[in-house]
Amino acid sequence: MAGTGIFGGSFDPIHHGHLRIAEEFADALGLATVRLVPTANPPHRKGAVASDAARLAMCQLACEGNARLQVDDRELRREGVCYTIDTLVEIGAELGPEAPLTWLIGADSFLSLDRWHRWRELFDLGCLAVACRPGFDLVRWQERASAALLEEVLPRIQSLSVTPTYKMGTIALLPTTPLAISSTAIRAQLAAGHSARYLLPDAVLDYAERHLLYGPGK
Ligand code: ATP
């Protein structure tokens, strides 16, 4: 595979778990660029704690010094509810048909893929790569998956044993280094007045502290 990876998230705040899987995706799939897309008003989750501007600033700080990582703020600029499908359509149109797109998600999101807006159309726009921590078990995934996922998503999965090749509509399950870091846990540490150092880049933590984004009382 080559081309551009799209990695959406609340990034509230962005942390080393996100950055590491972006890096590993880029290597495994030969991506020239991974675009981090902070999401606004996620349709199936409650809103972010930090403002859009703060989450964007933290993403930009996190990507400094890494030429492969870019921040794409289009969802924060869009009015109303944002869907991944709209973002992929827009980026695909901008990059043109010769530039393959791969959207990157965590394994937890993979089980709820059939609840995404117009999810079937996502496969017409590029490939999907799923970050699988060690222990990810496709058999267990199938036991929990809906009928729609089993019928329409399972057949798209490429063999885990071969290097993924870019073919529109396919799914690559990629092993990733387990880093049990979450934004929720970081916010909880900071709210409790504890250190979150080494869970996220220093520049991001400094920004969060300076702007009192998640401190005690938040
Ligand atoms: P929160 O704790 O607020 O739910 P989060 O840490 O899961 O946040 P998101 O911004 O929601 O971060 O994540 C964006 C994507 O990154 C999701 O697909 C999620 O599965 C994935 N992700 C987040 N943290 C990790 C991690 N430590 N390792 C692998 N994938 C991760």
Side-chain angles (χ1 to χ4, degrees):
M1 283 191 205
T4 301
I6 312 293
F7 183 28
S10 320
F11 302 128
D12 185 25
I14 190 163
H15 54 68
H16 282 136
H18 298 127
L19 293 164
R20 185 62 208 164
I21 63 170
E23 194 71 359
E24 293 187 5
F25 273 130
D27 275 346
L29 303 175
L31 302 173
T33 308
V34 175
R35 289 196 192 193
L36 302 173
V37 184
T39 52
N41 308 320
H44 26 245
R45 303 180 50 178
K46 66 180 176 53
V49 174
S51 68
D52 290 357
R55 291 182 298 117
L56 176 63
M58 290 189 285
C59 286
Q60 283 162 339
L61 287 168
C63 294
E64 265 176 19
N66 185 336
R68 276 198 299 200
L69 296 186
Q70 292 178 358
V71 185
D72 187 320
D73 68 350
R74 76 185 58 232
E75 293 201 2
L76 303 180
R77 285 186 276 110
R78 202 179 289 148
E79 299 275 313
V81 180
C82 284
Y83 294 107
T84 301
I85 184 85
D86 302 319
T87 299
L88 289 179
V89 166
E90 270 182 31
I91 296 176
E94 281 166 24
L95 297 180
E98 301 308 319
L101 282 187
T102 304
W103 43 291
L104 317 172
I105 62 171
D108 48 351
S109 310
F110 189 40
L111 203 58
S112 56
L113 194 62
D114 57 341
R115 295 204 290 273
W116 292 32
H117 186 58
R118 291 163 56 198
W119 64 276
R120 290 180 174 87
E121 294 166 52
L122 293 166
F123 294 106
D124 300 331
L125 300 168
C127 284
L128 171 64
V130 184
C132 299
R133 302 158 194 234
F136 175 82
D137 181 351
L138 191 54
V139 175
R140 244 187 80 61
W141 182 88
Q142 290 177 62
E143 285 166 4
R144 299 167 63 203
S146 67
L149 289 178
L150 289 177
E151 278 165 34
E152 298 174 59
V153 172
L154 191 62
R156 296 179 179 276
I157 297 176
Q158 296 191 344
S159 163
L160 278 170
S161 57
V162 297
T163 308
T165 47
Y166 188 88
K167 189 164 162 273
M168 183 73 90
T170 55
I171 300 173
L173 303 182
L174 295 178
T176 48
T177 304
L179 291 170
I181 303 172
S182 74
S183 301
T184 303
I186 290 172
R187 293 195 301 271
Q189 301 268 41
L190 295 174
H194 295 154
S195 165
R197 200 161 179 205
Y198 307 129
L199 297 174
L200 67 176
D202 285 346
V204 175
L205 181 57
D206 287 349
Y207 182 97
E209 290 182 337
R210 239 178 317 117
H211 294 83
L212 306 174
L213 298 182
Y214 311 109
K218 289 277 170 172

